[in-house]
Amino acid sequence: SIFFLCRSKMNEVRITPWALRRMLNWIKMRYNNPPVIVTENGWGELKETDGSDLDDPMRVYYYKYYINNVLKGLGTKPIRYI
């Protein structure tokens, strides 16, 4: 399995988008595919007062790959998202 170890200004974060899909698939199989709401998923950074936090490629990367893995869960036997 591949993960990315990135350091945000908040803490050390492992970016593992495949793990979200794996967990959702586990919930689907274990609990007979209940509807699932994904909350509190994000990339933490401290807000800068000089506006330099507006260029935030790591946040774009983070959401791109996490959303992509959620969408992969909508394959032939989709996970039920709300």
Side-chain angles (χ1 to χ4, degrees):
S1 44
I2 299 171
F3 69 87
F4 303 93
L5 189 59
C6 302
R7 184 171 296 280
S8 74
K9 294 178 184 176
M10 297 285 288
N11 55 14
E12 193 170 273
V13 177
R14 290 181 184 221
I15 298 177
T16 53
W18 56 267
L20 176 60
R21 183 169 39 124
R22 186 173 178 184
M23 180 188 63
L24 291 170
N25 280 317
W26 180 84
I27 292 169
K28 178 176 85 170
M29 299 304 292
R30 177 72 169 95
Y31 297 104
N32 196 23
N33 202 15
V36 174
I37 300 172
V38 178
T39 63
E40 297 298 324
N41 188 36
W43 177 259
E45 288 284 355
L46 297 174
K47 183 164 177 64
E48 299 292 338
T49 56
D50 63 359
S52 64
D53 57 350
L54 296 177
D55 183 25
D56 194 355
M58 282 310 299
R59 188 178 315 271
V60 172
Y61 176 86
Y62 179 92
Y63 281 112
K64 175 183 175 182
Y65 286 96
Y66 272 83
I67 290 170
N68 187 335
N69 271 270
V70 170
L71 292 174
K72 285 179 182 178
L74 298 174
T76 57
K77 295 182 181 177
I79 297 166
R80 295 173 58 197
Y81 301 109
I82 295 178

